């Protein structure tokens, strides 16, 4: 195993090891502080983070506002307060070592305000901002105004070129690095483009070399690339270390670092991760952001797959082969004979309610599904800038996309918050990368053992 050399990250020489930012509320001040205390880079999730009081106790999120606009504004205030309070705790734990970053979803509702006010309120405590799930053009300007380094997450050299040409070239001084996230291996929201085949993974080495060439062409030969998505044992990435084709590199650990003693992952979630098998992780497009994501295929996701499979086209009036009436949302629409047979089967199986989608189809849900969707939409706080599930749109005057909410999606804030706060493993959304099935065979976690962050990083440095 090649030895890792310290790297200049966010203004300091540190180990080139980065904690992956896992939201909602999974990468916390305790994990980030522990990583930084080992002279590595700790990351606080800025996506609906928990607020931590002066005694280190979590203050549960409790959105009290009645209107959608007020809930949206309250969500933003909560996120800002959460980041600031956690940055203070992480800074204390780090004892002046390492670096503290925050990870923000660019498509989070109010992201620009959250980043701006969090950096202002935690001045000197946050060294870098990592940002993905979208094209964060404005990130460079915001971070640079606070003399804070920024780290866009990309999955191709093409995406970096677009960011550089439109915005980053004017704020190059604080571009701390570029995170390359393997879209076939990463957990959570991933960056597969329309040109990428989800079923045919590409060699990350070739894509990283392409990214370095794009960066070198604009004078960023020595700016670090942070390799993320699918990094488990460093010995498997020896060819990437001290490689002139790739240049300075750091390594980000998201999925594997879920199971440390400092991590807030609930016991039921720990057990699920330690026993995952091939076929129990799924790439899917049910996230209301519109991005593909990777998560455990539990009861929650299976229901969404089954729901989506019921989709069938319809017409508002009888025409051509669409002659069979069916009740949908208090009026009749018309489907084909073969689909009528399918519809009868879904109703018999308990999917008794047909709902319209936004692309001229209907899907069948249970009464429980419908009730849960109605309740979640009533509580919508605008956690993402434009939501396919609730129809929220932060840029519209009335905060609405103007489109009917789509029943094939789900409230991502609800699902992730449940997972992070002890909810049922079956009924929550649990983001993991493709490598999560390796927990069961990893000697570090033998017999359910959970290492401290200190032990975890020591193993990484040994290549294990």
């Amino acid at each position: 195993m090649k030895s890792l050399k310290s790297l200049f990250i966010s203004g300091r020489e540190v180990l080139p090891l980065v904690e992956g930012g896992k939201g909602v509320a999974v990468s916390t001040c305790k994990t980030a502080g522990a990583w930084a205390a080992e002279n590595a880079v700790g990351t606080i999730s800025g996506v609906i983070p928990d607020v931590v009081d002066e005694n280190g106790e979590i203050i549960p999120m409790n959105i009290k506002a009645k209107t959608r606009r007020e809930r949206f504004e309250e969500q933003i205030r909560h996120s800002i307060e959460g980041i600031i309070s956690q940055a203070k705790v992480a800074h204390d734990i780090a004892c002046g070592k390492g670096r503290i970053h925050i990870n923000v979803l660019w498509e989070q509702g109010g992201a620009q305000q959250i980043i701006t006010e969090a950096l202002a309120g935690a001045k000197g405590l946050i060294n870098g901002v990592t940002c993905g799930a979208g094209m964060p053009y404005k990130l460079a300007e915001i971070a640079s105004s606070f003399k804070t380094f920024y780290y866009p997450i990309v999955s191709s050299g093409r995406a970096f070129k677009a960011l550089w040409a439109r915005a980053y070239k004017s704020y190059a001084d604080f571009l701390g690095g570029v995170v390359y996230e393997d879209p076939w291996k990463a957990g959570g929201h991933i960056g597969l483009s329309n040109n990428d085949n989800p079923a045919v993974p590409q060699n990350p080495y070739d894509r990283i070399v392409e990214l370095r060439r794009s960066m070198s062409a604009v004078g960023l030969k020595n700016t670090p690339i942070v390799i993320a998505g699918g990094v488990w044992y460093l010995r498997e990435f020896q060819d990437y270390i001290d490689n002139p084709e790739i240049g300075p590199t750091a390594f980000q650990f998201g999925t594997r670092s879920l199971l440390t003693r400092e991590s807030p992952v609930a016991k039921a979630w720990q057990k699920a991760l330690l026993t995952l098998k091939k076929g129990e992780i799924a790439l899917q497009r049910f996230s209301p952001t519109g991005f593909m994501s990777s998560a455990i295929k539990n009861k929650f996701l299976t229901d969404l797959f089954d729901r989506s499979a019921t989709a069938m086209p319809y017409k508002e009036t009888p025409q051509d082969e669409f002659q069979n009436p069916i009740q949908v949302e208090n009026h009749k629409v018309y489907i084909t004979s073969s689909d009528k047979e399918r519809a009868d089967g879904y109703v018999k199986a308990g999917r008794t309610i047909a709902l319209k989608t936004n692309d001229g189809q209907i899907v069948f849900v249970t009464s429980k599904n419908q009730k849960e969707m109605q309740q979640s939409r009533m509580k919508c706080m605008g956690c993402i800038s434009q939501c396919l599930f609730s129809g929220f749109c932060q840029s519209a005057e009335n905060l609405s996309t103007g489109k009917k909410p789509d029943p094939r999606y789900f409230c991502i804030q609800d699902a992730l918050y449940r997972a992070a706060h002890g909810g049922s493993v079956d009924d929550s959304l649990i983001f993991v990368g493709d490598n999560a099935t390796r927990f069961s065979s990893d000697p570090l976690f033998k017999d359910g053992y959970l290492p401290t962050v200190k032990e975890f990083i020591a193993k990484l440095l040994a290549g294990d």
Side-chain angles (χ1 to χ4, degrees):
M1 167 66 193
K2 291 180 182 177
S3 60
L4 284 179
K5 298 174 184 176
S6 294
L7 196 61
F8 192 77
I9 297 177
S10 295
R12 178 176 290 174
E13 292 277 338
V14 296
L15 291 174
L17 302 175
V18 182
E19 178 190 12
K22 300 170 287 294
V24 171
V26 178
S27 294
T28 69
C29 52
K30 291 183 179 179
T31 61
W35 276 72
E38 297 305 312
N39 202 37
V41 181
T43 303
I44 298 166
S45 170
V47 185
I48 319 291
D50 287 328
V51 174
V52 179
D53 68 17
E54 56 190 22
N55 297 314
E57 298 297 322
I58 291 174
I59 302 173
M61 184 174 65
N62 183 17
I63 302 296
K64 299 177 181 178
K66 301 298 183 184
T67 69
R68 176 177 276 191
R69 183 174 297 280
E70 289 171 335
R71 289 193 297 272
F72 175 51
E73 292 169 353
E74 194 171 344
Q75 175 267 124
I76 292 174
R77 291 195 300 273
H78 171 91
S79 296
I80 294 166
E81 185 180 354
I83 293 172
I84 295 170
S85 66
Q86 293 211 36
K88 291 176 180 176
V89 176
H91 183 264
D92 290 343
I93 295 172
C95 294
K97 297 179 182 178
R99 300 279 83 181
I100 301 293
H101 288 186
I102 59 170
N103 179 277
V104 181
L105 185 80
W106 191 246
E107 290 302 321
Q108 181 177 345
Q112 294 186 37
Q113 182 182 347
I114 291 167
I115 296 170
T116 301
E117 295 190 23
L119 291 179
K123 192 172 182 180
L125 304 179
I126 296 170
N127 310 117
V129 183
T130 305
C131 193
M135 294 293 278
Y137 294 110
K138 195 80 172 173
L139 173 66
E141 180 183 347
I142 296 170
S144 297
S145 70
F146 290 96
K147 294 182 168 41
T148 301
F149 293 89
Y150 64 98
Y151 298 79
I153 300 173
V154 302
S155 294
S156 68
R158 185 176 64 254
F160 172 75
K161 286 179 183 178
L163 289 167
W164 178 262
R166 180 167 167 181
Y168 292 3
K169 64 182 180 181
S170 300
Y171 303 95
D173 289 350
F174 285 93
L175 177 59
V178 178
V179 181
Y180 169 79
E181 187 176 73
D182 187 325
W184 288 275
K185 293 288 187 180
H189 293 108
I190 56 177
L192 283 172
S193 72
N194 292 332
N195 297 320
D196 296 322
N197 185 339
V200 184
Q202 292 182 15
N203 186 340
Y205 184 90
D206 296 337
R207 290 169 73 101
I208 292 169
V209 168
E210 176 206 9
L211 173 59
R212 175 57 72 190
R213 287 172 182 158
S214 299
M215 293 170 65
S216 295
V218 293
L220 301 175
K221 180 181 179 181
N222 295 315
T223 300
I225 291 175
V226 182
I227 299 174
V231 185
W232 198 267
Y233 299 119
L234 278 179
R235 64 175 180 263
E236 298 171 342
F237 284 81
Q238 287 201 71
D239 292 344
Y240 295 68
I241 300 170
D242 293 332
N243 184 324
E245 274 198 306
I246 294 176
T249 56
F251 296 90
Q252 179 172 300
F253 295 82
T255 296
R256 196 183 183 206
S257 66
L258 280 167
L259 295 185
T260 63
R261 291 187 207 173
E262 292 85 351
S263 176
V265 172
K267 289 189 180 299
W269 188 356
Q270 292 171 6
K271 184 177 179 181
L273 290 169
L274 288 166
T275 57
L276 275 176
K277 301 178 181 65
K278 288 290 184 184
E280 294 181 343
I281 299 170
L283 287 178
Q284 36 73 33
R285 292 190 181 275
F286 303 127
S287 168
T289 61
F291 297 114
M292 185 172 277
S293 61
S294 174
I296 293 178
K297 192 176 181 181
N298 55 5
K299 181 181 176 182
F300 175 80
L301 266 193
T302 298
D303 180 68
L304 288 166
F305 276 109
D306 292 346
R307 185 188 308 178
S308 186
T310 69
M312 59 184 67
Y314 70 90
K315 301 294 182 184
E316 293 287 354
T317 58
Q319 52 183 285
D320 302 326
E321 71 269 34
F322 292 84
Q323 298 292 331
N324 298 271
I326 186 171
Q327 194 74 14
V328 178
E329 300 171 20
N330 300 320
H331 71 284
K332 288 181 181 178
V333 299
Y334 297 84
I335 57 178
T336 66
S337 297
S338 59
D339 281 340
K340 180 64 166 65
E341 205 172 311
R342 287 175 58 207
D344 290 343
Y346 298 140
V347 171
K348 187 176 180 180
R351 294 184 176 273
T352 56
I353 299 166
L355 299 172
K356 292 181 180 178
T357 69
N358 279 317
D359 58 358
Q361 299 188 88
I362 54 173
V363 295
F364 292 81
V365 303
T366 66
S367 57
K368 181 185 177 185
N369 290 153
Q370 185 185 44
K371 183 179 180 181
E372 289 171 347
M373 285 189 284
Q374 289 171 339
Q375 290 174 339
S376 293
R377 286 169 180 155
M378 286 175 63
K379 296 186 297 183
C380 176
M381 63 179 73
C383 68
I384 54 178
S385 62
Q386 187 161 301
C387 181
L388 293 167
F389 170 76
S390 69
F392 175 85
C393 178
Q394 72 174 24
S395 60
E397 188 174 344
N398 64 350
L399 299 182
S400 173
T401 60
K403 295 180 180 179
K404 189 177 184 64
D406 198 309
R408 291 170 297 187
Y409 300 95
F410 60 90
C411 177
I412 194 165
Q413 184 275 326
D414 266 357
L416 288 173
Y417 196 85
R418 285 198 301 271
H421 295 83
S424 165
V425 170
D426 274 342
D427 297 321
S428 304
L429 178 65
I430 303 176
F431 279 154
V432 293
D434 183 68
N435 271 337
T437 55
R438 302 180 73 171
F439 276 119
S440 60
S441 60
D442 189 331
L444 183 57
F445 306 101
K446 187 178 180 181
D447 298 325
Y449 180 76
L450 299 185
T452 63
V453 166
K454 186 180 184 71
E455 291 173 313
F456 182 79
I457 289 178
K459 283 290 185 181
L460 295 183
L461 292 172
D464 296 332

